[in-house]
Amino acid sequence: MLAKMPGQAARVIQTIHAAGGRAYLVGGALRDLALGGTPKDWDFATTLSPQKLLALLPGARLIGGGCGTVQAHFVDSCLKPYSDWTYEITPCRTESGYSDRRHPDVVEFVPDILADLARRDFTVNAMAWDGQVLFDPFGGQRDLRLRLLRCVGNPADRFNEDPLRVLRLFRLAAQLGFTAEWETFCAAGEAMELIATLPKDRVAAEVRNILFSDGPQVLSGVIVKGGLHGYGFDFAPALNALREVPSLPLCRWWGLIALCGADIENVCRAFGFSRRFQADLENCTRLYRQGPALDNTSLKQKLAGSKLDYAPIAATFAAVSPAFAAEPALFASVCARHEPYRREDLAVNGDMLAAEGIQGRHCGKVLDALLAAVIQNPALNKAEVLLGLARGLKKTL
């Protein structure tokens, strides 16, 4: 499965082994490495206590509270410039009792990697590797080959212990392209209502990770089962179109909201989005409701006054509705020809009009009139031409 421990990970393990302990690469780090990827986070389990880790590793600090997780830094002098690698090392432990359905009531540190693996969520995350021996008591290797997500032990127990695992199941399915094992999938559906008991920031983080993955369509399964009812989503069709939406916050969130027929204000309130982001979402809806443009001129008229970057939005509209299929090419044509469609594109500005005696609210009206003329005929966009038109408009104010 794994031929060689990566150098930086091997250094962590060797340092702990030299101090008389055992250390193992675990969790998502090992899973991603086994899949041929590069882990974003390096997580280790060890038989040493937090106190011994802090004494052993210079500059290490305790970050895991009752879990005893220690964050450590190792400088790799083989890299130029020197690279400071950060790792999280947690003592092997068992957990029991989840009265708040989030945190274990009792945590006990044990020098037993197999006991530690038994408390984990999914089999593909319940493996450990010390560079020589791979510990895989629950068939994680098999499930990696099958591209399957299966709970460790009874799935109903796993999800009731921590309902965030329900969202984690869908997030891993979205990110890895895996399928949930049937019993695990059914248990997740039955536990979906427990998402309402979770802190909103944790739910929002998992939803974001799903939405910006390669498989955002799996959110349909969460919404259909009522998992995001308290976040403004009550209905979801098949969301395959989301895969074609640019992976940008404005585009993916607007695409999700539009496809589900959700209310922008309710969603923004539930997820704590800023007023600026809500305004951008509402502007997208305004542009969408104007319908697809038929030519460059009608597209420019639609976009007049908009400050949004329309290229990814056009791609989003095209993904959501085939009626907008031509708009990305139309907008690309507008940009390629440098055709003006915003005030900022005009060859004159407010200061130049002020010099002609056009000020205050009259300035804005004249700029809008000039823009309308230039949208119809881009050749008019010359300073002397526009100033001449402005002088004529001044007489009508």
Side-chain angles (χ1 to χ4, degrees):
M1 174 185 168
L2 296 164
K4 185 179 179 181
M5 177 70 71
Q8 62 269 28
R11 183 173 179 186
V12 176
I13 291 174
Q14 291 164 2
T15 300
I16 293 175
H17 282 197
R22 298 292 303 277
Y24 312 86
L25 186 65
V26 293
L30 179 54
R31 180 199 68 227
D32 293 345
L33 202 62
L35 290 172
T38 301
K40 295 180 180 179
D41 302 299
W42 293 88
D43 298 309
F44 298 84
T46 181
T47 57
L48 295 185
S49 68
Q51 293 73 24
K52 289 184 179 179
L53 288 173
L54 292 172
L56 175 65
L57 305 172
R61 62 191 183 96
L62 187 67
I63 64 168
C67 293
T69 301
V70 169
Q71 186 180 78
H73 300 274
F74 286 79
V75 177
D76 192 337
S77 59
C78 295
L79 297 180
K80 295 181 181 180
Y82 291 172
S83 181
D84 190 3
W85 301 90
T86 301
Y87 306 98
E88 293 187 2
I89 309 167
T90 305
C92 296
R93 68 184 191 272
T94 60
E95 300 173 346
S96 60
Y98 292 79
S99 58
D100 66 352
R101 285 202 174 98
R102 182 70 189 97
H103 305 93
D105 297 327
V106 179
V107 174
E108 182 179 356
F109 297 128
V110 294
D112 183 355
I113 187 60
L114 296 180
D116 182 87
L117 296 178
R119 67 174 177 80
R120 296 177 180 263
D121 50 9
F122 307 112
T123 60
V124 296
N125 293 335
M127 300 181 290
W129 188 39
D130 65 0
Q132 301 295 324
V133 178
L134 178 70
F135 297 85
D136 182 18
F138 303 104
Q141 290 184 91
R142 174 201 61 206
D143 288 343
L144 282 177
R145 290 193 299 270
L146 295 174
R147 304 181 69 79
L148 201 63
L149 294 169
R150 183 194 310 270
C151 277
V152 173
N154 186 307
D157 292 341
R158 294 285 83 82
F159 293 133
N160 276 288
E161 288 168 353
D162 181 1
L164 193 65
R165 288 170 174 163
V166 174
L167 288 176
R168 196 174 298 138
L169 174 71
F170 283 84
R171 188 245 298 168
L172 289 175
Q175 292 176 332
L176 302 176
F178 281 23
T179 301
E181 176 266 337
W182 181 246
E183 188 179 354
T184 296
F185 179 77
C186 291
E190 292 174 0
M192 199 70 72
E193 63 183 16
L194 297 178
I195 291 175
T197 68
L198 295 169
K200 286 193 172 183
D201 60 326
R202 302 300 297 275
V203 174
E206 291 293 345
V207 172
R208 280 196 301 269
N209 286 334
I210 297 172
L211 190 57
F212 300 122
S213 71
D214 292 334
Q217 71 278 2
V218 307
L219 274 172
S220 179
V222 179
I223 297 171
V224 165
K225 289 290 186 178
L228 296 181
H229 173 75
Y231 293 82
F233 292 98
D234 296 314
F235 165 79
L239 296 176
N240 291 335
L242 276 179
R243 292 182 297 183
E244 307 304 320
V245 171
S247 188
L248 299 170
L250 181 61
C251 295
R252 284 279 170 100
W253 277 110
W254 185 87
L256 177 65
I257 291 169
L259 288 167
C260 295
D263 181 80
I264 289 175
E265 184 177 356
N266 289 342
V267 172
C268 289
R269 185 187 306 113
F271 283 97
F273 294 151
S274 68
R275 291 185 179 179
R276 172 65 181 275
F277 189 66
Q278 179 178 335
D280 287 345
L281 289 170
E282 291 168 344
N283 283 333
C284 284
T285 297
R286 178 181 58 80
L287 293 171
Y288 184 78
R289 287 177 176 171
Q290 290 183 46
L294 301 178
D295 52 35
N296 284 21
T297 298
S298 61
L299 178 59
K300 289 184 293 182
Q301 288 171 336
K302 182 165 80 168
L303 297 180
S306 173
K307 296 184 180 298
L308 298 174
D309 179 7
Y310 196 64
I313 294 172
T316 300
F317 291 173
V320 169
S321 170
F324 288 81
E327 280 212 346
L330 282 179
F331 184 68
S333 173
V334 168
C335 294
R337 297 180 182 183
H338 303 289
E339 296 183 20
Y341 64 93
R342 298 171 300 185
R343 283 186 181 182
E344 305 90 90
D345 299 329
L346 292 174
V348 297
N349 56 37
D351 290 339
M352 297 169 72
L353 293 184
E356 298 290 333
I358 304 172
Q359 299 177 334
R361 61 186 180 86
H362 297 309
C363 181
K365 288 183 178 180
V366 170
L367 285 173
D368 286 340
L370 295 178
L371 180 59
V374 167
I375 284 175
Q376 289 287 344
N377 183 1
L380 296 176
N381 196 29
K382 298 180 177 62
E384 61 275 14
V385 174
L386 295 182
L387 287 175
L389 291 173
R391 294 183 193 106
L393 290 169
K394 179 183 176 182
K395 298 175 183 179
T396 66
L397 297 175

